[in-house]
Amino acid sequence: MNRHLQQLLVSAAAALSVASANATIATVFNSIPIGTAHFNATVAAAAGVVSSDTLSGLAAGASIVRADYTITKNDSSTLFPGTYGAMTGEVVDISPSGSGPGIGAVGSGIKFAFSTPVNALGFEVGDWGTCCQPSALYIAFDSGAPIQVGLSSAFGDVFFNSAAEVFVAAFDDSGDFSTVQFWGDGFGEFLVAGGTVRYALLEQGSLPGGKVPEPGSLALACLGLAGLAAARRRKNA
């Protein structure tokens, strides 16, 4: 292979590599039934499979162990389960507290530690938007940058059908993650999370906006460049 063709092939590989690095962060915020449907549809559109777990039989303690994941408090304090409104399963108390809004409230939230990686997670949140605004909700994958999945600016502005119950979710198809953190920053408010937990592992770049080349793209590019180089050699000959 001549030096010019080598350089062309390296450039093509680099261009495809840059394209594949682009990925999508997406969120879901809606009523429980509509938000759940949106989560399921988003996963299906990315050719993924949704796993779901309705929380039940929970006991107070340092951790809640489920089949595919374990829930703990971010600050390692005790989890207190219960029920709330019409949420589809049991919930845990994550009333915000800490040193300040945003990332400063992370300690009062919860962490999901998965036995196999995920990059999509959704669940139900209750008694949110009832006081202490502004109040935001955050999800972070593997302690990465917080993704804001909801914001309440005034009493009741995030209610659906007059109920303080919502479904929130986040997707990050830039990679695979083993832990996901969730917290709120409305200091002084009561907040619970749980219900039915939904999760999935999507192919990198599979969400709308993600740019990952098809499996054969690099090979096709190389073949095309090789053909151009061969044609150039014949012309020069």
Side-chain angles (χ1 to χ4, degrees), residues 86-114:
M87 293 173 67
T88 62
E90 294 181 18
V91 298
V92 292
D93 176 9
I94 57 165
S95 299
S97 63
S99 59
I103 194 66
V106 66
S108 56
I110 50 176
K111 178 170 70 176
F112 299 80
F114 285 87

Side-chain angles (χ1 to χ4, degrees), residues 43-44 47-51 199-202:
V43 172
V49 177
V50 175
S51 297
Y199 46 99
L201 178 63
L202 310 180

Side-chain angles (χ1 to χ4, degrees), residues 203-233:
E203 291 291 332
Q204 292 186 27
S206 60
L207 291 170
K211 298 185 182 302
V212 172
E214 295 296 325
S217 295
L218 180 57
L220 289 173
C222 291
L223 286 174
L225 290 171
L228 288 173
R232 181 175 296 174
R233 283 197 302 270

Side-chain angles (χ1 to χ4, degrees), residues 20-120:
S20 67
N22 296 326
T24 299
I25 291 176
T27 61
V28 173
F29 174 86
N30 214 308
S31 67
I32 291 174
I34 295 176
T36 296
H38 189 177
F39 181 87
N40 293 346
T42 302
V43 172
V49 177
V50 175
S51 297
S52 62
D53 178 31
T54 299
L55 299 179
S56 63
L58 306 185
S63 64
I64 293 171
V65 180
R66 308 298 288 179
D68 294 335
Y69 60 92
T70 298
I71 302 174
T72 56
K73 290 292 291 290
N74 288 330
D75 63 3
S76 301
S77 61
T78 301
L79 289 159
F80 293 100
T83 59
Y84 182 86
M87 293 173 67
T88 62
E90 294 181 18
V91 298
V92 292
D93 176 9
I94 57 165
S95 299
S97 63
S99 59
I103 194 66
V106 66
S108 56
I110 50 176
K111 178 170 70 176
F112 299 80
F114 285 87
S115 54
T116 57
V118 300
N119 52 20

Side-chain angles (χ1 to χ4, degrees), residues 133-216:
Q133 286 85 3
S135 171
L137 304 177
Y138 302 92
I139 289 176
F141 292 94
D142 279 356
S143 300
I147 302 168
Q148 184 175 294
V149 293
L151 175 65
S152 173
S153 300
F155 176 86
D157 62 347
V158 290
F159 290 6
F160 291 95
N161 300 319
S162 301
E165 301 163 12
V166 300
F167 180 90
V168 299
F171 307 81
D172 181 353
D173 68 354
S174 66
D176 305 344
F177 308 97
S178 297
T179 63
V180 188
Q181 293 175 306
F182 173 71
W183 69 97
D185 67 1
F187 293 114
E189 72 179 343
F190 181 64
L191 188 65
V192 297
T196 298
V197 180
R198 298 177 183 274
Y199 46 99
L201 178 63
L202 310 180
E203 291 291 332
Q204 292 186 27
S206 60
L207 291 170
K211 298 185 182 302
V212 172
E214 295 296 325

